[in-house]
Amino acid sequence: QQQVKQSPQSLIVQKGGISIINCAYENTAFDYFPWYQQFPGKGPALLIAIRPDVSEKKEGRFTISFNKSAKQFSLHIMDSQPGDSATYFCAASKGATNKLIFGTGTLLAVQP
Amino acid sequence: NAGVTQTPKFQVLKTGQSMTLQCAQDMNHEYMSWYRQDPGMGLRLIHYSVGAGITDQGEVPNGYNVSRSTTEDFPLRLLSAAPSQTSVYFCASSYSIGLGNEQFFGPGTRLTVL
């Protein structure tokens, strides 16, 4: 049972375009939703995170949109650059715990 | 700071062999964890520790043992390796537990079990 469902599996975007990755979750007890970025041969690194008391969080070109009623959240990468090419994972956790439940990942390729 | 370090980077085992994956952090983090990453499945939590002497199971603990004798180290032991344990293993740490505590991941160990 996949508690956090992520789509698409892969994504190709032109330089300067907008990349959008979506995630949906089942457990309403989740209260922390981070996105991780992973380059080949490296470990994941935290990109941006949101809590369900806000509907949007923006950090530079990266924005998380959160829809609590639909149990969905998404990552938007504005003005996508070739350097953004990586695998992106959404995740969720609940309560006073660091036990992250990850989505299956999205391989993003930004073409120059 | 070296951050989270893992050794070895690559390892090939035969079915039934045992080995220990090493993980160390120099950030004085209380929380440490082990994940495995498999194609199409994301990362799944194996074991975690909220402090020295305290460990607990994650989503997929079977076939793995852990211990936490010091704050810095959190080794993962495979007692009898199986082909199903072929994966990339990541160790992670954070200052504490609770919301907003960023987890820092190591570079990973790629394990192949023949």
Side-chain angles (χ1 to χ4, degrees):
Chain A
Q1 179 185 0
Q2 190 71 35
Q3 293 192 57
V4 178
K5 297 182 179 180
Q6 183 172 348
S7 63
Q9 187 174 355
S10 62
L11 181 62
I12 300 174
V13 174
Q14 296 298 312
K15 179 182 176 181
I18 302 174
S19 304
I20 301 174
I21 305 170
N22 300 299
C23 283
Y25 62 97
E26 297 289 330
N27 192 336
T28 55
F30 288 146
D31 55 9
Y32 177 65
F33 302 89
W35 284 89
Y36 282 82
Q37 180 187 56
Q38 184 181 31
F39 293 104
K42 305 292 186 181
L46 180 65
L47 187 63
I48 186 173
I50 197 168
R51 295 177 60 177
D53 52 349
V54 298
S55 60
E56 184 175 284
K57 183 175 182 180
K58 183 176 181 179
E59 291 184 2
R61 296 185 294 108
F62 301 91
T63 299
I64 299 179
S65 297
F66 188 84
N67 186 329
K68 188 174 181 179
S69 61
K71 294 188 289 184
Q72 295 176 346
F73 59 110
S74 59
L75 175 69
H76 296 234
I77 305 175
M78 311 300 289
D79 187 27
S80 299
Q81 299 297 311
D84 297 330
S85 298
T87 299
Y88 292 81
F89 292 95
C90 62
S93 67
K94 59 182 178 180
T97 173
N98 289 9
K99 297 165 67 174
L100 292 169
I101 306 296
F102 282 86
T104 51
T106 296
L107 179 61
L108 171 65
V110 181
Q111 294 186 335
Chain B
N1 284 351
V4 179
T5 58
Q6 293 184 235
T7 56
K9 287 190 66 68
F10 302 94
Q11 183 70 48
V12 179
L13 291 178
K14 294 181 180 179
T15 297
Q17 287 185 317
S18 63
M19 80 158 296
T20 299
L21 281 63
Q22 301 292 344
C23 174
Q25 52 88 13
D26 61 358
M27 298 175 283
N28 200 32
H29 284 175
E30 288 296 321
Y31 182 90
M32 297 185 73
S33 57
W34 278 100
Y35 290 84
R36 60 178 288 173
Q37 182 176 14
D38 302 291
M41 301 192 73
L43 288 87
R44 292 179 292 168
L45 181 64
I46 304 171
H47 284 286
Y48 65 97
S49 169
V50 299
I54 306 170
T55 63
D56 205 346
Q57 298 180 351
E59 286 182 79
V60 288
N62 292 340
Y64 308 95
N65 283 348
V66 292
S67 60
R68 183 99 179 268
S69 57
T70 67
T71 299
E72 295 78 18
D73 301 298
F74 190 43
L76 179 72
R77 297 183 185 86
L78 286 70
L79 298 179
S80 179
S84 61
Q85 294 178 304
T86 293
S87 187
V88 182
Y89 291 85
F90 290 100
C91 179
S93 74
S94 65
Y95 178 73
S96 183
I97 62 172
L99 294 179
N101 272 286
E102 178 180 354
Q103 292 196 51
F104 296 85
F105 284 79
T109 294
R110 183 174 294 275
L111 175 67
T112 301
V113 183
L114 303 176

